[in-house]
Amino acid sequence: GDGRDADADDPGDEPGGQGSYHGAHVAGTVAAATNEGVGAAGVSWGAKIVPVRVLGVQGGTDADILDSVLWSAGISVSGMPANPNPAQVINMSLGGRGKCADVPAWQDAFNKASAKGSIIVVAAGNQNSNANDFVPASCTGIIAVGATETRNYRAPYSNYGSRIDVMAPGGDIENDRNGDGYVDGVLSAARNDQNGSYNWIFYQGTSMASPHVAGLVALMKSKKPSLTYQEALSVLKQTARPLDATAC
């Protein structure tokens, strides 16, 4: 509404229309309830979500995003109460064009959050371009995630290049390649603004791929609480299946 507050509710981002509930969808992929017979199951069913909403109807600012990274990691942010539950894993399903080196504040925030022990996972971007030309994907000390579709091919929109650390399911809602009668998107939580009900919807994007990896890192953390960024990245790369030229 009128500034920073303790309310992280997602009111929807389309004035007078249907909201996308992008943040709710992403959070559901990480930790949606499991074995209740409804919808989809989260990757890390025991994980707890610390919701931090930094973008709204008109987008948002770098300052809000970067302060949220610091706050999420348990670092003091002026004017805000301390975070009682510092995040062990930070997922950032957001981004835009630019190079991290051109805006030092991005890298500085990630360095500080990493020093506090947070492992940061980010979406590579959906522009079918080199991920080195986008933030936060072009920053260092983070895990940059591209998107695949049902064949385990690179999704047609996914950014690519040497900066991609790993890829994960991001979906492709233009197709139904497995013939199950549904588009090949990622299914997760949303809300119907017309009747106020909570439901499930298929989306696509590196925004959907990133929380798959963040959830997996949370599972790693549950097995080894002392897990570091470098260890997590090493395990991800060692256990991933390389894409051949056709899949790329």
Side-chain angles (χ1 to χ4, degrees), residues 10 15 20 76 88 90 101 110 137 140 153 169 181 185 196-197 202 210 216 244 247:
D10 183 351
S20 72
S76 176
Q88 295 178 313
I90 297 175
F110 291 146
T140 61
Y153 285 18
S197 66
F202 289 101
S210 183
L216 183 54
D244 61 23

Side-chain angles (χ1 to χ4, degrees), residues 14-104:
E14 304 296 336
Q18 172 63 45
S20 72
Y21 294 96
H22 181 274
H25 195 281
V26 168
T29 294
V30 173
T34 304
N35 285 344
E36 88 286 36
V38 178
V43 173
S44 186
W45 54 93
K48 301 294 190 294
I49 298 291
V50 180
V52 185
R53 190 170 70 89
V54 298
L55 301 174
V57 175
Q58 300 299 326
T61 69
D62 281 11
D64 284 340
I65 295 170
L66 298 179
D67 275 355
S68 80
V69 171
L70 299 175
W71 187 87
S72 295
I75 298 168
S76 176
V77 173
S78 178
M80 293 299 295
N83 177 4
N85 301 294
Q88 295 178 313
V89 184
I90 297 175
N91 181 77
M92 300 180 70
S93 288
L94 53 82
R97 287 192 179 274
K99 292 183 181 293
C100 195
D102 294 337
V103 188

Side-chain angles (χ1 to χ4, degrees), residues 96-104 106 130-136 138-139:
R97 287 192 179 274
K99 292 183 181 293
C100 195
D102 294 337
V103 188
W106 279 93
N130 193 319
N132 277 310
D133 297 327
F134 292 81
V135 286
S138 60
C139 296

Side-chain angles (χ1 to χ4, degrees), residues 194-208:
Q194 279 62 57
N195 60 25
S197 66
Y198 292 89
N199 57 6
W200 304 87
I201 192 169
F202 289 101
Y203 280 163
Q204 69 175 24
T206 56
S207 279
M208 285 60 253

